[in-house]
């Protein structure tokens, strides 16, 4: 049974541009798309759950043999590129990754890629997602995961610092819990997966602006999508926070930094 679509952000054209910009951010930060420790074979099958615009799938398809099968899954197809633009070895489809996978997908993939699940699900319980991914992996298959640790931010600038406390209050009101991201390696270990590599920290200075731009746009999407859920009693009204965030998004304020901490890992299912 599906748990439904609880996506906290938007799926319009501007939202898709933000996702594609975040792909560039990760690409510049890590220096690769598919982790270099993952062995490439001509008959391998690669999946991405929560594929969004499929920008990662499309990018990886350019670098791998044309015989590799790449499947992108999402609970919504509204951000998928038109089908006539898909590479021949790419398939995109609908899938709820927070429930057990269909039998046809069990044990099918050499690699499963995940990125930016920080706000899904809101309560921070990742057990369903991890179980799903583990089931669709082949024995010995790899998990490549990049995510945003929103509990450990780097924020500078008077306007940004003032806004932070109000946004944090709003995120807490609508039930977001980001503490699981920094604990991700332990969550995978508890599910019997082997952690081959784990990295956390901060973006280099030359990527701070790109992260700031995409993060502020994402926060604006979350705010717009959750206005009806917010009760009275905030230090500022939702409208006031929305205006302040819009101003921060609309201007290139010198010295303003509003970033999250990148977390990435490579894990393997026992053979």
């Amino acid at each position: 049974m599906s748990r439904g679509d609880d996506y906290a952000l938007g799926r319009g054209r501007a939202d898709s541009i933000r996702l594609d910009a975040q792909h560039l951010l990760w690409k510049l930060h890590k220096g690769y798309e598919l982790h270099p420790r993952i062995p490439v074979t001509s008959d391998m099958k690669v999946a991405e759950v929560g594929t969004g615009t499929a920008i990662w799938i499309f990018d990886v398809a350019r670098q791998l043999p044309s015989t590799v099968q790449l499947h992108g899954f999402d609970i919504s197809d509204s951000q998928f590129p038109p089908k006539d633009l898909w590479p021949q070895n790419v398939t995109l489809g609908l899938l709820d990754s927070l429930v057990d996978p269909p039998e046809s997908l069990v044990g099918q993939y050499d690699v499963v890629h995940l990125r930016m699940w920080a706000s899904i699900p809101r309560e921070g319980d990742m057990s369903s997602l991890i179980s799903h991914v583990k089931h669709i992996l082949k024995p010995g298959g790899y998990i490549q995961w990049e995510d945003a640790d929103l509990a450990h931010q780097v924020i500078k600038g008077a306007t940004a610092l003032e806004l932070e406390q109000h946004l944090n209050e709003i995120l807490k009101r609508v039930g977001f819990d980001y503490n699981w991201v920094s604990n991700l390696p332990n969550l995978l270990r508890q599910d019997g997966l082997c952690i081959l590599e784990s990295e956390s920290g901060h973006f280099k200075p030359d990527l701070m602006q790109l992260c700031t731009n995409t993060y502020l746009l994402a926060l604006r999407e979350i705010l717009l999508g959750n206005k009806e859920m917010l009760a009275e009693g905030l230090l500022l009204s939702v409208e006031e926070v929305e205006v302040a965030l819009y101003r921060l998004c609309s201007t290139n304020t010198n010295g303003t930094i509003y970033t999250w901490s990148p977390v990435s890992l490579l894990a393997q299912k026992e053979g």
Side-chain angles (χ1 to χ4, degrees):
M1 182 174 67
S2 172
R3 291 175 52 177
D5 186 352
D6 194 29
Y7 189 56
L9 291 88
R11 290 195 175 98
R13 189 172 299 275
D15 310 313
S16 294
I17 293 172
R18 175 188 55 78
L19 287 180
D20 292 347
Q22 286 177 340
H23 174 70
L24 174 62
L25 175 65
W26 278 108
K27 185 172 183 173
L28 293 173
H29 174 62
K30 298 302 296 182
Y32 58 77
E33 291 75 40
L34 185 68
H35 197 290
R37 290 181 63 179
I38 296 175
V40 174
T41 61
S42 60
D43 61 346
M44 70 190 297
K45 295 177 68 174
V46 179
E48 181 179 46
V49 294
T51 195
T53 65
I55 184 67
W56 183 86
I57 285 281
F58 277 37
D59 200 352
V60 170
R62 294 161 60 95
Q63 304 168 40
L64 296 179
S66 60
T67 52
V68 171
Q69 296 182 52
L70 297 117
H71 298 164
F73 298 110
D74 206 295
I75 199 169
S76 169
D77 61 3
S78 61
Q79 290 176 288
F80 291 177
K83 192 170 184 178
D84 59 352
L85 302 181
W86 301 358
Q88 289 188 350
N89 60 335
V90 167
T91 301
L92 306 178
L94 294 172
L95 183 68
D96 185 349
S97 298
L98 299 181
V99 299
D100 290 340
E103 193 65 30
S104 61
L105 294 182
V106 173
Q108 290 296 303
Y109 293 102
D110 300 279
V111 181
V112 177
H113 179 248
L114 304 95
R115 175 179 287 172
M116 303 298 285
W117 280 80
S119 298
I120 310 167
R122 297 181 190 230
E123 300 83 6
D125 180 4
M126 305 307 293
S127 57
S128 296
L129 176 61
I130 294 172
S131 175
H132 179 102
V133 170
K134 186 177 177 181
H135 276 87
I136 66 175
L137 271 177
K138 294 178 180 178
Y142 296 87
I143 297 174
Q144 179 183 325
W145 195 326
E146 302 101 23
D147 227 305
D149 183 356
L150 305 182
H152 297 90
Q153 303 175 115
V154 177
I155 299 176
K156 296 181 181 179
T159 305
L161 288 167
E162 182 179 359
L163 185 62
E164 178 195 16
Q165 62 177 319
H166 305 302
L167 284 172
N168 286 345
E169 184 184 2
I170 285 174
L171 294 175
K172 185 176 180 180
R173 284 284 187 96
V174 295
F176 288 111
D177 179 2
Y178 300 116
N179 291 305
W180 67 267
V181 179
S182 59
N183 192 42
L184 183 56
N186 289 330
L187 295 177
L188 294 180
R189 286 192 190 97
Q190 291 168 12
D191 225 308
L193 294 154
C194 176
I195 305 300
L196 304 180
E197 184 178 303
S198 178
E199 181 181 282
S200 60
H202 302 296
F203 289 110
K204 292 181 180 179
D206 60 337
L207 295 179
M208 288 282 190
Q209 187 66 53
L210 179 55
C211 184
T212 295
N213 292 344
T214 57
Y215 190 18
L216 291 176
L217 292 175
L219 288 170
R220 192 166 170 227
E221 292 171 32
I222 290 175
L223 184 63
L224 289 172
N226 290 276
K227 290 174 72 171
E228 295 183 1
M229 294 180 60
L230 294 166
E232 298 295 330
L234 295 172
L235 296 178
L236 291 181
S237 70
V238 176
E239 289 73 19
E240 287 175 309
V241 175
E242 186 178 346
V243 169
L245 183 55
Y246 177 80
R247 289 174 178 167
L248 205 58
C249 289
S250 302
T251 58
N252 289 322
T253 307
N254 289 335
T256 297
I257 295 175
Y258 210 114
T259 72
W260 37 266
S261 298
V263 171
S264 58
L265 62 80
L266 180 67
Q268 189 173 24
K269 181 178 178 179
E270 292 183 1

